[in-house]
Amino acid sequence: MKDDIILNPFTISLDLEDAYTVKKGEPIPFNLIEIDKLDEITYNQDKNYFQIHHPGDYYISYQMKTEKRYRIDVKGEISYFEADIFPVEKMSHGSGIITAVRENMIFYLTCDQHDILFQTGKQATVTIFKVR
């Protein structure tokens, strides 16, 4: 029997009217949910973290316009397996698999080594798919 695969993404972006600096180790904020079909994930705009409501594996991909390439860390109660990434000029990006082993686990994106200055306009996008 062949199962149909339906990808329902959760996509969120950072769209700024003014430049904004995220201090190293602080969660990167997002403010625009573009597609919210994956209801297993919510985003807390007050604390800047994602919450996964059901256990499982989730594919995450992120792209950020930055003046140079930074290592972006995925931190929180989840485990994260980073996929190989290739360098892109003036872009911090990556992808991997997040595993939540229980309900309501939280995570956030940050840069542990540097402050990041985001300019005006659409600066960052995160897309998450449930894989199992």
Side-chain angles (χ1 to χ4, degrees):
M1 184 175 164
K2 188 174 181 180
D3 293 330
D4 290 333
I5 297 173
I6 299 171
L7 298 177
N8 292 316
F10 177 91
T11 301
I12 193 164
S13 297
L14 174 62
D15 196 357
L16 298 171
E17 294 181 11
D18 297 307
Y20 182 80
T21 300
V22 178
K23 299 290 184 189
K24 68 179 177 179
E26 293 293 317
I28 296 170
F30 297 93
N31 59 6
L32 180 63
I33 297 175
E34 296 179 342
I35 302 168
D36 195 4
K37 294 180 181 177
L38 181 59
D39 60 2
E40 295 183 23
I41 297 175
T42 54
Y43 182 74
N44 183 319
Q45 282 187 307
D46 294 331
K47 296 184 179 180
N48 300 327
Y49 66 73
F50 298 86
Q51 184 172 15
I52 298 177
H53 300 290
H54 302 289
D57 292 328
Y58 298 81
Y59 171 79
I60 183 171
S61 173
Y62 55 87
Q63 305 83 35
M64 301 180 189
K65 292 180 188 175
T66 51
E67 73 276 8
K68 65 178 187 174
R69 186 170 175 262
Y70 295 100
R71 175 178 169 74
I72 304 298
D73 301 290
V74 179
K75 302 208 133 187
E77 301 171 334
I78 49 83
S79 63
Y80 177 63
F81 175 77
E82 185 175 31
D84 289 340
I85 57 174
F86 52 90
V88 176
E89 186 177 356
K90 297 186 178 182
M91 178 76 68
S92 297
H93 69 100
S95 63
I97 300 293
I98 291 172
T99 300
V101 295
R102 60 177 169 75
E103 294 181 349
N104 300 318
M105 296 186 84
I106 63 170
F107 71 94
Y108 60 94
L109 278 70
T110 188
C111 179
D112 278 338
Q113 286 81 33
H114 303 280
D115 294 350
I116 298 177
L117 173 64
F118 289 107
Q119 302 295 331
T120 59
K122 190 171 182 180
Q123 295 297 304
T125 302
V126 176
T127 303
I128 304 168
F129 295 94
K130 184 167 186 177
V131 293
R132 68 179 176 117

